[in-house]
Amino acid sequence: MSISSALYNAASGLTASARAVQVVSSNVANAMTEGYAARQLELSASSLGGVGQGVRIAGVTRRVDPILLDLTRAAQAGSQASSARAGFWQSFEAQIGQPGAGLSQALAGFDSALVEASDRPDLDSRLSAVVTSASQLAAKLNGISASVQVQRGNADAAIARDVETLNAGLAQIDTLNASIVKTRAAGQSTLGLEDERQAIISTLSEIVPIREYPRDNGRVTLYTAGGQLLLDLEPQKLGFSAASTMSAGQTLATGLSGLTVNGHPVDTGPNGAFKGGRLAANFAIRDEDGVRAQNDLDLLASDLISRFEDPATDPTLTAGAPGLFTDAGAALTTPAPVGLAARVAVNDLVLPDGHNELWRVRDGLGAAATPGPVGDASQIHNLINALERSIAPAPGSAQQNFASTLGSFSAETSQHRHQFEVTATHSATHASELTEQMLAQGVDTDAEMQRLLQIEAAYAANAQVISTADAMLRRLLEI
């Protein structure tokens, strides 16, 4: 090797060391920057005619594991989905209340008021307590039904926000794709743009799991995990119309908006193209969980109303006349109409702001216009027996008293809540572990400091080579 070759090799080494210091300093400076991928200097040996010509800087790349990144995005989407659905059932269970509280407490209060009234049927205060506790039980059912519809409405609004976020995010990624292609064609670094694009895709992946496919010119093509194209040469347009109000009778089949892509409806169910993320979870809350909860609540309300419309409970009632509990003042129809729990009300005949005829609690709602014997508690005992009578709340279900029916309803709700909580906990743990692995691939300041010491040693060695070559040239010139 000639002295000039040694000088050239050492000079290229100094250049590479200087560039390596820039990369390390950039990594350290962005150690806390979210979405920043650690940079790595790529070097290769340079040769000419089989003779070494120093080192060549091949470029600076981002240290990213695409497989781990894809797994992390999928896990985070799953965590968002299971957390949302667990939240719905937690809220629904809280509205129903644990045994001894909430709905069961209201039922116990009504039963207790009936027992006390049967001891002293002559006291208006006891009869008034029956009407008050019955109204509280009905109001509790109304409130739970209203909360279900509020949650369905919240899910519908969340869908609209997520669709808007998806459309805006896809447009941003499309713009970044174009910028990366132009910047790369101009021979400039696109690393910052790629960081920004990766961060946006990761954010959108919480809404719907996204698969990223890089192309040779720097662009990326995006698909959902279910196979729906989101972005290629241009972004797809997602469509959704939020409902202004939400009621029990509103479903996907009766006017609620579904999801469209470029105007074409797509399946948002568990096997659809948008499965697995927060978007699909909110559709499930609105169209499955909320509908199921309302139907179960309506069955409970139907059971309550039918018990007090039964001629065995109140022989004074005429055919088609409502009992103590009504469907917004009317008798129960078969099958029970959707949203019945929201309309359960105490018969206007005994309400203080209605006819205020408390004696009808004692004598029967269809009794003659004049009160009967004040000491006769037989009708009140019939009301107590209505709660104790074994009835099948739905075709094919077991016959049981109303308290047992309520207990089964509460237990089923708790089972749903527990199921989704377990899934949410597992998903959150899995997502957390993968996120930790992703962070471990980020900037490690200790490793960067060690790398800096290695660069310093390489720089000093190359400087020493140049100094030695210079001394040799000077010696030759002196000869």
Side-chain angles (χ1 to χ4, degrees):
M1 176 185 293
S2 65
I3 296 177
S4 61
S5 295
L7 283 171
Y8 184 84
N9 289 341
S12 67
L14 290 177
T15 302
S17 296
R19 187 69 181 95
V21 169
Q22 293 177 359
V23 172
V24 169
S25 65
S26 176
N27 285 341
V28 173
N30 288 280
M32 303 298 293
T33 302
E34 186 176 356
Y36 177 85
R39 285 15 176 186
Q40 179 173 304
L41 184 66
E42 300 292 341
L43 302 174
S44 62
S46 178
S47 62
L48 180 63
V51 179
Q53 293 294 313
V55 63
R56 181 173 61 87
I57 298 175
V60 179
T61 59
R62 301 165 69 246
R63 290 203 300 264
V64 177
D65 183 342
I67 296 177
L68 179 59
L69 178 61
D70 186 61
L71 291 174
T72 302
R73 287 170 174 170
Q76 290 174 341
S79 178
Q80 288 281 321
S82 54
S83 177
R85 297 188 72 177
F88 170 84
W89 288 105
Q90 287 168 351
S91 177
F92 185 54
E93 184 185 44
Q95 287 291 324
I96 296 170
Q98 297 294 327
L103 199 54
S104 63
Q105 184 180 37
L107 175 61
F110 176 54
D111 187 54
S112 177
L114 285 173
V115 171
E116 291 179 3
S118 68
D119 290 338
R120 291 295 304 273
D122 57 312
L123 294 179
D124 283 353
S125 60
R126 300 286 180 94
L127 301 179
S128 178
V130 170
V131 174
T132 299
S133 59
S135 297
Q136 291 172 344
L137 179 57
K140 191 64 180 175
L141 285 167
N142 300 159
I144 297 173
S145 179
S147 73
V148 170
Q149 301 313 313
V150 167
Q151 290 190 78
R152 291 184 69 217
N154 290 342
D156 189 81
I159 292 169
R161 289 193 300 270
D162 282 343
V163 168
E164 183 178 354
T165 300
L166 279 169
N167 283 327
L170 291 174
Q172 284 182 283
I173 295 169
D174 184 53
T175 301
L176 288 169
N177 270 347
S179 298
I180 289 171
V181 170
K182 292 179 181 178
T183 304
R184 180 175 291 188
Q188 299 176 2
S189 173
T190 62
L191 300 180
L193 296 173
E194 291 177 44
D195 280 344
E196 184 179 355
R197 184 175 64 187
Q198 178 179 310
I200 296 173
I201 295 173
S202 295
T203 299
L204 298 185
S205 291
E206 295 181 357
I207 301 173
V208 56
I210 292 178
R211 299 283 174 82
E212 176 183 349
Y213 298 95
R215 301 181 63 168
D216 293 340
N217 59 359
R219 297 180 64 90
V220 292
T221 300
L222 303 180
Y223 286 84
T224 68
Q228 172 64 51
L229 176 66
L230 294 177
L231 172 66
D232 191 4
L233 297 179
E234 61 182 20
Q236 305 294 293
K237 181 68 175 179
L238 278 66
F240 179 81
S241 299
S244 56
T245 59
M246 185 65 66
S247 64
Q250 289 177 284
T251 64
L252 189 60
T254 59
L256 287 181
S257 174
L259 185 68
T260 62
V261 176
N262 290 342
H264 301 289
V266 293
D267 183 10
T268 55
N271 298 315
F274 284 80
K275 62 183 179 181
R278 188 172 67 225
L279 184 68
N282 281 317
F283 269 108
I285 290 171
R286 190 196 70 171
D287 299 332
E288 297 174 25
D289 297 338
V291 172
R292 178 171 188 169
Q294 183 65 55
N295 288 342
D296 290 346
L297 202 58
D298 289 344
L299 282 175
L300 188 68
S302 175
D303 184 28
L304 178 66
I305 294 174
S306 64
R307 287 173 181 272
F308 290 88
E309 282 186 356
D310 193 327
T313 300
D314 191 347
T316 67
L317 291 174
T318 58
L324 181 60
F325 292 97
T326 70
D327 179 0
L332 182 66
T333 58
T334 304
V338 176
L340 176 62
R343 302 190 301 274
V344 175
V346 175
N347 199 306
D348 190 59
L349 290 172
V350 297
L351 287 176
D353 54 353
H355 292 77
N356 197 27
E357 297 174 346
L358 292 174
W359 55 270
R360 291 189 182 276
V361 175
R362 179 184 61 237
D363 297 349
L365 294 175
T370 56
V374 296
D376 185 3
S378 58
Q379 176 55 33
I380 298 178
H381 284 295
N382 287 341
L383 298 179
I384 296 174
N385 291 335
L387 292 175
E388 297 299 328
R389 191 178 304 121
S390 293
I391 297 175
S397 61
Q399 292 188 345
Q400 51 192 359
N401 61 36
F402 189 73
S404 297
T405 299
L406 175 57
S408 298
F409 170 66
S410 299
E412 184 179 356
T413 300
S414 296
Q415 183 178 2
H416 287 307
R417 185 264 307 159
H418 177 71
Q419 172 189 345
F420 282 105
E421 277 186 345
V422 169
T423 303
T425 300
H426 173 75
S427 298
T429 302
H430 183 52
S432 177
E433 290 176 352
L434 289 174
T435 300
E436 287 296 326
Q437 293 181 39
M438 280 293 297
L439 292 175
Q441 291 190 349
V443 177
D444 183 344
T445 52
D446 290 339
E448 295 297 331
M449 291 300 98
Q450 292 177 4
R451 192 171 294 113
L452 191 60
L453 292 175
Q454 294 172 350
I455 295 169
E456 181 182 8
Y459 188 90
N462 282 299
Q464 183 62 45
V465 170
I466 291 177
S467 177
T468 301
D470 179 65
M472 293 174 66
L473 288 172
R474 287 178 180 276
R475 182 60 177 167
L476 287 173
L477 291 174
E478 290 173 358
I479 296 175

